[in-house]
Amino acid sequence: MNPKEPLAFRMRPKTLDEYVGQEHVLGKDKILYRTIKADRLSSIILFGPPGCGKTSLARVISETTKYKFYKINAVTAGVADIKRVIEETKNFMLNPAGKSILFIDEIHRFNKLQQDALLPFVENGTIILIGATTENPYFEVNKALISRSMVIKLEPLTEENIYTILKNSLERKDGLGEYNIKIEDETLKKLAVIANGDVRTALNGLEIAVLTTNMDKDGYIHITDEIVKNSVQDRKAIFDKNGDTHYDNISAFIKSMRGSDPDAAIFYLARALNGGEDPMFLARRIVICASEDVGMANPNALVVANSCMQAVHMIGMPEARILLAEAAVYVATSKKSNASYMAINKALDDVKNKDTGEIPMHIRNAPIEKMKELGYSEGYLYPHDFPGHYVEQQYLPDKMLGTKYYIKDDNIP
């Protein structure tokens, strides 16, 4: 055991058989497992949350491939580093295979120029690219690279996966096996829950707990629930307010309000606030939902949502959470109608794509007397002069007569 290396680093698997989790892509009947075992890998982009095993999988590949393996980090590397790898790959004396595997960690941090520098060598097979990213590669990675790579989504590790890795770390000599540790299985399982899919968090927490706890008189280091709680603290939320989870969470928040599920709406609201989301951004989403999805079924929802947004701006956090919760629940529990939303969309489509004709002369404005002589405003019927303040007359252009945009549904009073 090298005590200078963190436990999370020491516990990284060296073979596919040691790798825990991601059975949906690494099960023995899955294509990724077979291609790694056969050393017939093509370029791949791995994406998933922190601590799900992207770098560990790259390390497994580096231990099993016959090709020269290079690893660079997009934060510190540049085009010069890519060129160096290409030159060494093409050098027959250094690399008789004429092909190498290049692992780029955090590939989303490469700019367009850096990604373009890779493209011809990925295309001709000189480089087998393995890119790892916490961001959605379809947004962050060059489309040309995406089209030449297999995109694989890694999921957060399950609590069972993390428990297995923690258990292994207590037994392996390169883990914590050289320490006399006593810890209940239930405590390990609680640590796995706290980690929330991030095995690095779990291993770091366990290592801190062991290294900061004194040995008892019986010669053992006793790790309790309380020690684990103080070593890891709050349950880690998988949320990045600037990343892919931001879009997933806000989508779930809006769809929960639209779907009239106040509990789910509150859950995703809490998740966003816990992750540091801007409360004004959340307030604006509630206003939009109040208009788009509640609409004429309960016009007061827009009043409540707009009042919430103004109050959030004045008050700020942490009290703003109460205002946001009230507005989100109000919108979620209101009857729904998207009649106005559908009406304006259909009208905009017609205006953009059809010959919609001319505005009827009788409803045109005539601020100058001479304009009336040309027919402007002639024949206009003022509705308030008629019983019920209504009179039937033409408002749509001749070419649009009979068109229905606002279709009242059963939820509209």
Side-chain angles (χ1 to χ4, degrees), residues 312-347:
V312 167
H313 177 69
M314 291 186 291
I315 293 171
M317 289 292 288
E319 289 82 2
R321 76 192 189 283
I322 308 166
L323 311 174
L324 291 166
E326 181 181 346
V329 167
Y330 189 89
V331 169
T333 55
S334 291
K335 286 186 176 181
K336 304 296 189 296
S337 172
N338 69 343
S340 300
Y341 169 76
M342 297 299 291
I344 187 60
N345 286 351
K346 185 180 178 184

Side-chain angles (χ1 to χ4, degrees), residues 20 23 157-166 189 192-193:
V20 177
E23 289 84 1
L157 294 179
T158 65
E159 291 166 14
E160 185 179 344
N161 293 152
I162 295 176
Y163 168 77
T164 299
I165 295 169
L166 290 171
K189 289 175 181 177
V193 171

